[in-house]
């Protein structure tokens, strides 16, 4: 039995992962779970899976969970130290990293350093400190298996091929819920509209990232570090139906792609069982029924966030961490109705413009850039949300 820890078990990826675990009794043993604040969901998971340890980042929530789980064998820990303790449990074979945002960097890096195999959904740490994560993974002889559907598709399309023969990675993007809108129309987009993803049901942060196309900007950076391929060889293609999950072009111009109906359980199960494929009870892809697949170039004018991703990668050092932090703050402000949709990109642009990139040699370097960018972006948002305020 593979002993697993799930970081972010109450989220969209976390619950899909547990769904797979339930379908294959005898294959996985859940020994650790973590969540942010959702006490009731984590309690339900504790009762179903009986993990030895669970962590909640929020101390008050942890206290409440302890009260609700009295008499059960599960140890409840809390805070950053609790997340790290759970991520590095000595018995764990595989850690599914599915926290949303930069909050996942510390426990995921700790798991890597502790020699755990990683199934990585949480893309933001790879954006913040990709080189550092890969250096540590090499040192600890750890493999990082992609869960993000595009990266899983690339990984699957590379199996049995030589890295030197790769010419291009082509990441597909659905274009999100606002693809057909003009910039003028985007001005008044509400969180409800932006949360209506056409193909995928995901957590709110990544859904807004899909609407701005920042998700693809983050994924370009993620692909750069996961596959050690320069940005100049990574392209993005809009593909509205999300059937082709990504493509790899080889030197002989042969292109290999991975296809499937959009359901995260396929890439999650692949990362959890690699190199085995397990039978999932999902509908089969019926291309005749779908009839048509559509493609076009991304529109960088209406969706400037994608280009910001490339730009951050080109500048390097702390810039991708700054891009990520400013985005997290801006997305939250948009969801809280403090700023409009177009101000997300504007906030990131201004934060990046104000940042002088430095090298990332340690985790602290990445966290420092993250903290600086959150502070700076917060100030910009205050100005944007109070029209009369003076800009300093
Ligand atoms: P979600 O919001 O549904 O779940 C996030 C999880 O992280 C929850 O368990 C939550 O309790 C926990 N969490 C949130 N903030 C935390 C904090 N500060 N400290 C500790 N834990 C915290 O998110 P999701 O959609 O499942 O996405 C998770 C990650 O996977 C993201 O990085 C996302 O980009 C990536 N991803 C998601 C999908 C998808 O289909 N949902 C697809 C590809 C990649
Ligand atoms: Mg993706």
């Amino acid at each position: 039995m593979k002993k697993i820890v799930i970081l972010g078990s109450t989220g969209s990826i976390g619950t899909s992962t547990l769904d797979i675990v339930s379908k294959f009794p005898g294959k996985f043993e859940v020994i650790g779970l973590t969540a942010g604040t959702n006490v009731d969901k984590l309690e339900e998971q504790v009762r179903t899976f009986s993990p030895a340890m669970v962590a909640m980042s929020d101390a008050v929530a942890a206290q409440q969970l302890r009260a609700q789980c009295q008499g059960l064998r599960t140890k409840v820990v809390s805070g950053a130290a609790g997340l790290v303790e759970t991520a590095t449990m000595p018995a764990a074979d595989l850690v599914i990293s599915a926290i949303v945002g930069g909050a996942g960097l510390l426990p995921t890096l700790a798991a890597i350093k502790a020699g755990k195999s990683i199934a990585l959904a949480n893309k933001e740490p790879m954006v913040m400190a990709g080189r550092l994560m890969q250096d540590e993974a090499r040192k600890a002889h750890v493999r990082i298996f992609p869960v993000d559907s595009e990266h899983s598709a690339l990984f699957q399309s590379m199996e049995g091929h030589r890295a030197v023969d790769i010419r291009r990675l082509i990441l597909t993007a659905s274009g999100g819920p606002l693809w057909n809108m003009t910039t003028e129309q985007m001005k008044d987009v509400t969180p409800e509209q932006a949360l209506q993803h056409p193909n995928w049901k995901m957590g709110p942060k990544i859904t807004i990232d899909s609407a701005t196309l920042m998700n693809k900007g983050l994924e370009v950076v993620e692909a750069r570090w996961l596959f050690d391929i320069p940005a100049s060889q990574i392209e993005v293609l809009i593909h509205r139906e999300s059937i082709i999950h990504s493509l790899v072009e080889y030197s002989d111009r042969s292109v290999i792609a991975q296809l499937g109906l959009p359901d995260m359980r396929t890439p999650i199960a692949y990362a959890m069982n690699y190199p085995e494929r397990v039978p999932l009870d999902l509908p089969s892809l019926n291309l005749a029924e779908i009839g048509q697949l559509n493609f076009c170039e991304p529109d960088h004018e209406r969706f400037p966030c994608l280009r910001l991703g490339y730009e951050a990668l080109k500048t390097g050092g702390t810039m991708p961490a700054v891009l990520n932090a400013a985005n997290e703050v801006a997305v939250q402000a948009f969801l809280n109705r403090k700023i409009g949709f177009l101000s997300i990109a504007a906030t990131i642009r201004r934060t990046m413009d104000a940042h002088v990139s430095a090298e990332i040699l340690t985790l602290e370097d990445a966290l420092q850039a993250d903290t600086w960018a959150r502070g700076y972006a917060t100030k910009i948002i205050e100005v944007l949300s109070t029209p009369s305020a003076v800009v300093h």
Side-chain angles (χ1 to χ4, degrees):
M1 280 232 273
K2 212 180 256 184
K3 293 188 168 54
I4 65 166
V5 169
I6 307 174
L7 308 176
S9 65
T10 56
S12 159
I13 294 288
T15 49
S16 294
T17 305
L18 285 171
D19 182 51
I20 293 168
V21 169
S22 320
K23 298 271 159 57
F24 298 95
K27 239 183 180 340
F28 301 101
E29 183 187 345
V30 178
I31 63 164
L33 298 173
T34 84
T37 53
N38 194 339
V39 177
D40 292 342
K41 187 78 160 247
L42 193 53
E43 182 198 347
E44 186 191 310
Q45 294 178 346
V46 165
R47 290 187 187 278
T48 311
F49 296 96
S50 268
M53 193 187 300
V54 298
M56 299 206 77
S57 59
D58 186 80
V60 177
Q63 199 52 40
Q64 198 182 328
L65 183 71
R66 253 178 230 119
Q68 290 179 208
C69 292
Q70 234 170 29
L72 301 180
R73 66 170 208 119
T74 303
K75 178 180 171 192
V76 181
V77 292
S78 73
L83 291 186
V84 168
E85 191 182 350
T86 312
T88 57
M89 287 172 75
D93 301 309
L94 174 71
V95 172
I96 290 94
S97 169
I99 288 174
V100 61
L105 175 58
L106 184 70
T108 305
L109 195 60
I112 292 172
K113 285 185 182 171
K116 311 299 180 191
S117 292
I118 307 288
L120 186 78
N122 186 195
K123 65 192 80 180
E124 292 90 349
M126 221 14 135
V127 174
M128 295 168 72
R131 188 189 297 274
L132 184 68
M133 297 226 330
Q134 288 295 25
D135 283 350
E136 294 296 343
R138 254 187 304 274
K139 273 193 234 161
H141 305 289
V142 156
R143 290 197 72 174
I144 302 177
F145 298 101
V147 169
D148 212 345
S149 58
E150 296 76 2
H151 304 75
S152 176
L154 294 170
F155 179 56
Q156 294 180 55
S157 304
M158 286 176 193
E159 282 288 293
H161 294 85
R162 303 187 314 164
V164 290
D165 296 331
I166 294 172
R167 186 159 183 273
R168 277 189 303 160
L169 305 185
I170 305 166
L171 289 163
T172 53
S174 72
L178 313 179
W179 179 249
N180 294 319
M181 281 194 181
T182 63
T183 306
E184 195 54 34
Q185 288 169 324
M186 286 184 210
K187 268 188 192 155
D188 301 319
V189 160
T190 62
E192 289 71 21
Q193 282 174 294
L195 285 170
Q196 291 303 317
H197 198 282
N199 306 337
W200 299 95
K201 203 179 163 320
M202 311 180 284
K205 194 262 177 180
I206 183 176
T207 309
I208 300 302
D209 286 346
S210 302
T212 58
L213 251 66
M214 178 51 89
N215 185 45
K216 220 43 61 176
L218 300 176
E219 288 184 357
V220 168
V221 184
E222 185 188 9
R224 190 264 171 268
W225 295 117
L226 271 178
F227 304 114
D228 195 19
I229 298 246
S232 57
Q233 283 169 261
I234 306 174
E235 291 176 19
V236 171
L237 174 70
I238 301 293
H239 164 42
R240 293 294 285 156
E241 294 85 1
S242 301
I243 296 295
I244 300 182
H245 297 304
S246 279
L247 315 90
V248 180
E249 184 188 42
Y250 289 92
S251 49
D252 60 359
R253 297 330 188 243
S254 177
V255 176
I256 299 188
Q258 185 256 346
L259 287 73
L261 291 171
D263 192 311
M264 284 307 293
R265 282 171 292 186
T266 301
I268 295 170
Y270 193 64
M272 289 173 78
N273 293 289
Y274 179 85
E276 205 183 315
R277 287 188 187 268
V278 294
L280 293 179
D281 187 18
L282 302 174
S284 279
L285 174 65
N286 184 335
L287 284 173
E289 203 171 85
I290 293 168
Q292 267 192 9
L293 297 179
N294 293 282
F295 308 95
C296 67
E297 294 281 349
D299 182 336
H300 293 285
E301 301 312 315
R302 285 185 303 133
F303 297 94
C305 286
L306 174 57
R307 193 177 276 152
L308 293 179
Y310 276 102
E311 198 184 305
L313 199 45
K314 196 167 172 209
T315 306
T318 45
M319 196 57 91
V322 164
L323 162 103
N324 176 67
N327 180 55
E328 283 192 38
V329 171
V331 167
Q332 198 52 55
F334 170 68
L335 286 170
N336 294 343
R337 295 180 161 77
K338 282 193 85 171
I339 57 171
F341 183 76
L342 295 180
S343 294
I344 298 175
T347 302
I348 303 162
R349 167 83 276 161
R350 287 169 67 170
T351 309
M352 285 173 67
D353 285 347
H355 183 68
V356 181
S357 181
E359 224 180 318
I360 291 186
L361 298 172
T362 62
L363 170 65
E364 285 67 35
D365 296 336
L367 294 178
Q368 218 170 46
D370 177 85
T371 305
W372 174 85
R374 282 172 199 271
Y376 196 88
T378 303
K379 275 194 219 147
I380 293 171
I381 285 163
E382 276 163 23
V383 173
L384 290 173
S385 57
T386 7
S388 57
V390 182
V391 186
H392 292 287

